[in-house]
Amino acid sequence: MSLLEVEDLAIHFGGVKAVDGVSFSVEKGEVFAIIGPNGAGKSTIFNLISRIYQSTLGRIQFDGQDITASRAHDIAGLGIARTFQNIELFDHSTVLDNLLMGRHTHRRTNFVQDILFLPKVRREERQHRRRVEQVIEFLELEAYRKKMIAGLPYGVRKVVEIGRALATGPKLILLDEPASGLSVEETRDVAFWIEDMRRDMGLTVLMVEHDMSLVNQVSDRVMAVANGRTLAMGTPAEVQAHPDVMAAYLGTGAAA
Amino acid sequence: MRVVFKTSYDRDIDLHEHGRSRARIAVLLAIMIVLPFLVGDYYLAEATNTLIWALAGMGLMVAVGHTGQVSLGHAAFLAIGAYADSALMNTGLPFLVSFPLAGLVTGLFGALIAVPAVRMSGIYLAIATLAVFVIVEELVIMLEPITGGVGGIMAPSISILGLTFDRYAALDHFYWLCLAVVALVTWGYANLMRSPTGRSFLAVRDSEVSARALGINVTRTRALAFGLSSGVTGLAGALMGHYIGFFNYELFSIFISINLLLVVTIGGLGFIQGAFLGAILITAVPQLIAILRDNLVAVGVDLSGVPGLDTMIFSLILICFIIYEPTGLYGRWLKIRTWFEVFPLARRDMFRRQKSYLKTERMK
Ligand SMILES: Nc1ncnc2c1ncn2[C@@H]1O[C@H](COP(=O)(O)OP(=O)(O)OP(=O)(O)O)[C@@H](O)[C@H]1O
Ligand SMILES: [Mg+2]
């Protein structure tokens, strides 16, 4: 059975059918990319999966469980982590604290224990820290540990957000345009990390990306969407050769 | 610049990163403890007042500074704390029981009203809390058997284990009592902020959508923060009642709410230390103005006929801080300290990128 199954998913904002009957499934250990012109509905699909938006129609199943009606704050605990297209970090906290916030679903203490800072709290903190340090090492964020997010360059913030998602210890990670705004070198790093997430961490990756060279390099399967509908699905080469996909890209003037 | 070499994660988990900051707090606390032997009653009373304001400031800081919920209603929580404590003591409960209970009652009330209010933010939340304040004020006047109505009540005299802590009979004892409460709350607050609960507050403040995506229940987190905030403010209210002695609803006016907001914004939003610096400022400025007035009278200028001088000066200070130093007194202090630490390497725009406003301050 697939890790993530999306069936006939749709959401309408008034008259705008942002997502209009999309179906796809992501297998365990797969890197699955969603491509499409601006406004196609890619980020909206992410928001539907993370339950920030309420779907109008359709069904979402994750790991054998129906999450169509789950609450947004229960999604992380099931093992789905995500990044946002327009970086949503906690700007007035340090990199370390942002990553530690990613450990929220693993907390076992309540606020009274926290206020008294019982030995249990310290033990748990050490454990969270150990996990977070692994993420820091993986993404080479050592130099930024104690830096405030507000003062960091764009590229680093982008990486920190991936780190925060990894710190939750997910099964599935949703990356919304992980390479947008990054330099060629930074994009290459992102490609390596995605490879490692799949190979070393056993993660499943669902990503939205405009950079076709990155998509070609890392993804097993690609789905092209436009106007909230699926245009094509298959290997990166198949999808890019699909006449509808070429038309959609040429139609909006974006280079494929 | 001081570089701290860390050899274990505990160095980051501990309250103090290095021994010097721990020593600084110890010295400060020691001075506070011996203060009754150093100053006369007048200044000791002022110091007590400052401590109570700092406590109330910490209460509001949890909501405004650390969770991004603006409240114009915190004077109501001061009132509930004060009346609850007096009422409980009048039923015969000792202060050691009535005092925490008063905080608990206020905290529960705060958490309760937070539930419908949590979906609001910015100006809407401010107005909703203002409405709560108005309702509580009316209730205080109506519930005459408990509150004494318009006339007011006398706070019962405190005695613990046979020792009197009455504000007039034994000011030094009352001062130590306030100091102990403030020290305990500060410790708990600092603990909270280095733990998962505190981080979830900051998360809700800075990005609600990613807080949810990380599994944080935003509604519950905000209600908890608001409950803790009003609980601590309730404790401050109880102490304030005992400090004033005889009080009625006028003690908890809307201006107290506004002054509390000044305490946290001028002190430095998002810093526990800010509540203390703000409290010192808010209690010292009227004194300074009084001294200034007297001196001006001596040279022939009489300002006693100018009404609202205090308020005007406060407003001016606040405007200057919002424009020039959004991180408040504590933020300014951090910059001065860094300047000395890196001397002579400080650069003019070293803090440029840090001049950003918390979401609390933006009205959306
Ligand atoms: N909350 C909302 N309310 C109304 N319309 C929305 C909302 N969210 C998305 N939309 C609309 O849905 C459509 C799809 O938006 P979406 O952000 O999913 O596009 P996208 O494929 O991610 O585009 P891009 O490549 O620019 O990120 C757009 O027309 C957008 O205006
Ligand atoms: Mg998008």
Side-chain angles (χ1 to χ4, degrees):
Chain A
M1 194 206 237
S2 313
L3 185 66
L4 179 75
E5 278 181 48
V6 173
E7 268 173 60
D8 290 326
L9 195 63
I11 183 168
H12 304 163
F13 297 109
V16 181
K17 296 182 173 172
V19 175
D20 192 17
V22 168
S23 302
F24 64 95
S25 57
V26 182
E27 305 302 323
K28 207 169 176 155
E30 190 178 28
V31 176
F32 190 102
I34 301 177
I35 62 166
N38 293 112
K42 306 178 298 292
S43 299
T44 307
I45 294 175
F46 271 23
N47 287 337
L48 286 167
I49 296 173
S50 42
R51 300 286 306 130
I52 289 166
Y53 288 167
Q54 174 64 45
S55 56
T56 315
L57 286 169
R59 215 155 69 100
I60 308 166
Q61 281 216 332
F62 177 72
D63 215 4
Q65 192 178 340
D66 192 325
I67 60 165
T68 322
S70 300
R71 292 174 304 179
H73 60 255
D74 290 331
I75 296 300
L78 297 174
I80 303 181
R82 69 168 293 179
T83 65
F84 295 84
Q85 187 171 351
N86 305 309
I87 310 183
E88 285 280 345
L89 285 169
F90 308 116
D91 281 353
H92 295 272
S93 298
T94 61
V95 169
L96 184 61
D97 281 334
N98 268 268
L99 298 179
L100 284 170
M101 287 169 188
R103 301 293 301 161
H104 186 85
T105 51
H106 300 271
R107 66 177 290 195
R108 297 285 171 268
T109 55
N110 60 37
F111 78 94
V112 179
Q113 293 168 318
D114 282 358
I115 287 174
L116 299 174
F117 216 78
L118 299 180
K120 184 181 178 196
V121 180
R122 182 180 288 272
R123 273 201 307 276
E124 298 242 317
E125 281 295 292
R126 283 196 204 117
Q127 223 143 42
H128 295 322
R129 182 65 191 272
R130 231 169 270 134
R131 278 307 312 265
V132 160
E133 282 301 323
Q134 288 168 358
V135 173
I136 289 177
E137 200 186 333
F138 175 60
L139 297 175
E140 290 162 18
L141 284 169
E142 289 90 348
Y144 303 104
R145 227 185 245 121
K146 287 276 168 178
K147 293 264 178 7
M148 282 284 189
I149 299 294
L152 289 179
Y154 182 82
V156 179
R157 296 214 301 267
K158 206 99 198 171
V159 177
V160 174
E161 211 189 17
I162 296 177
R164 190 180 63 184
L166 287 176
T168 66
K171 295 178 188 144
L172 171 69
I173 184 167
L174 314 179
L175 304 172
D176 198 347
E177 306 202 9
S180 76
L182 296 189
S183 68
V184 180
E185 292 79 16
E186 289 168 327
T187 306
R188 205 187 47 211
D189 285 341
V190 170
F192 285 133
W193 287 327
I194 293 177
E195 296 274 345
D196 286 348
M197 283 179 209
R198 187 232 315 254
R199 204 183 46 233
D200 301 342
M201 304 181 183
L203 287 187
T204 307
V205 181
L206 176 59
M207 79 171 175
V208 167
E209 186 50 65
H210 282 295
D211 183 333
M212 285 314 292
S213 69
L214 177 64
V215 171
N216 289 333
Q217 197 182 337
V218 300
S219 42
D220 301 305
R221 283 195 300 149
V222 178
M223 175 173 76
V225 290
N227 299 319
R229 289 168 177 279
T230 309
L231 289 180
M233 199 160 359
T235 64
E238 282 167 16
V239 169
Q240 278 170 82
H242 199 284
D244 287 352
V245 177
M246 293 169 85
Y249 271 96
L250 292 173
T252 58
Chain B
M1 194 152 73
R2 180 166 43 224
V3 177
V4 184
F5 289 100
K6 294 170 185 161
T7 47
S8 82
Y9 296 152
D10 285 309
R11 289 302 287 275
D12 279 337
I13 298 171
D14 287 343
L15 276 177
H16 303 286
E17 206 167 47
H18 41 78
R20 220 189 298 181
S21 103
R22 193 178 328 215
R24 206 163 32 219
I25 298 285
V27 169
L28 203 65
L29 195 63
I31 294 174
M32 300 284 281
I33 290 173
V34 299
L35 198 67
F37 304 113
L38 305 178
V39 300
D41 269 5
Y42 179 77
Y43 284 105
L44 193 60
E46 279 307 310
T48 312
N49 191 25
T50 307
L51 280 177
I52 295 172
W53 272 90
L55 186 61
M58 282 195 280
L60 189 62
M61 187 66 87
V62 179
V64 181
H66 283 132
T67 341
Q69 299 171 284
V70 183
S71 167
L72 276 174
H74 265 55
F77 303 128
L78 284 174
I80 295 172
Y83 286 113
D85 182 58
S86 286
L88 289 167
M89 282 182 84
N90 283 333
T91 66
L93 283 175
F95 178 79
L96 278 186
V97 178
S98 70
F99 181 63
L101 266 184
L104 193 69
V105 166
T106 319
L108 286 177
F109 179 79
L112 209 70
I113 63 158
V115 173
V118 281
R119 291 189 196 289
M120 303 180 210
S121 56
I123 191 86
Y124 301 103
L125 183 62
I127 290 171
T129 50
L130 183 62
V132 169
F133 166 77
V134 174
I135 293 169
V136 169
E137 195 179 33
E138 288 303 318
L139 281 178
V140 164
I141 296 173
M142 274 157 53
L143 292 174
E144 199 170 340
I146 301 174
T147 64
V150 182
I153 52 168
M154 185 79 201
S157 172
I158 306 171
S159 96
I160 300 170
L161 302 172
L163 209 63
T164 178
F165 284 82
D166 188 87
R167 176 241 190 283
Y168 291 102
L171 179 60
D172 47 353
H173 289 181
F174 184 69
Y175 166 84
W176 279 318
L177 177 72
C178 292
L179 182 61
V181 172
V182 167
L184 262 177
V185 169
T186 311
W187 176 75
Y189 194 172
N191 281 343
L192 190 77
M193 294 322 294
R194 59 175 168 153
S195 72
T197 308
R199 285 195 296 266
S200 69
F201 289 1
L202 298 183
V204 166
R205 179 191 70 188
D206 284 351
S207 170
E208 225 173 88
V209 62
S210 39
R212 278 159 72 199
L214 292 176
I216 296 170
N217 183 338
V218 173
T219 310
R220 202 187 314 153
T221 305
R222 284 182 145 198
L224 173 64
F226 210 77
L228 287 175
S229 166
S230 31
V232 170
T233 307
L235 292 180
L239 291 180
M240 196 176 273
H242 289 287
Y243 176 75
I244 300 294
F246 190 84
F247 60 94
N248 68 357
Y249 71 98
E250 283 175 348
L251 175 61
F252 312 103
S253 70
I254 182 67
F255 294 105
I256 299 291
S257 279
I258 292 171
N259 277 353
L260 264 181
L261 268 177
L262 291 187
V263 165
V264 294
T265 15
I266 296 178
L269 280 178
F271 301 104
I272 301 177
Q273 296 90 330
F276 285 86
L277 295 176
I280 292 171
L281 189 88
I282 210 98
T283 47
V285 165
Q287 304 291 330
L288 292 177
I289 292 173
I291 293 170
L292 185 76
R293 262 194 189 133
D294 293 347
N295 285 333
L296 284 178
V297 168
V299 297
V301 187
D302 188 4
L303 285 180
S304 58
V306 184
L309 192 63
D310 297 17
T311 318
M312 201 180 82
I313 290 182
F314 274 138
S315 314
L316 274 178
I317 295 177
L318 180 69
I319 291 170
C320 289
F321 266 100
I322 288 175
I323 295 176
Y324 298 108
E325 190 58 274
T327 54
L329 280 171
Y330 189 70
R332 170 56 35 192
W333 155 245
L334 284 183
K335 286 173 197 174
I336 294 170
R337 202 175 67 186
T338 309
W339 191 87
F340 277 106
E341 277 176 358
V342 301
F343 185 82
L345 300 173
R347 284 182 299 122
R348 214 164 167 269
D349 51 1
M350 202 153 63
F351 298 103
R352 213 200 181 100
R353 273 204 278 201
Q354 291 177 16
K355 189 178 166 181
S356 61
Y357 294 82
L358 286 182
K359 285 220 173 104
T360 319
E361 294 149 294
R362 294 185 235 133
M363 294 297 185
K364 56 173 180 184

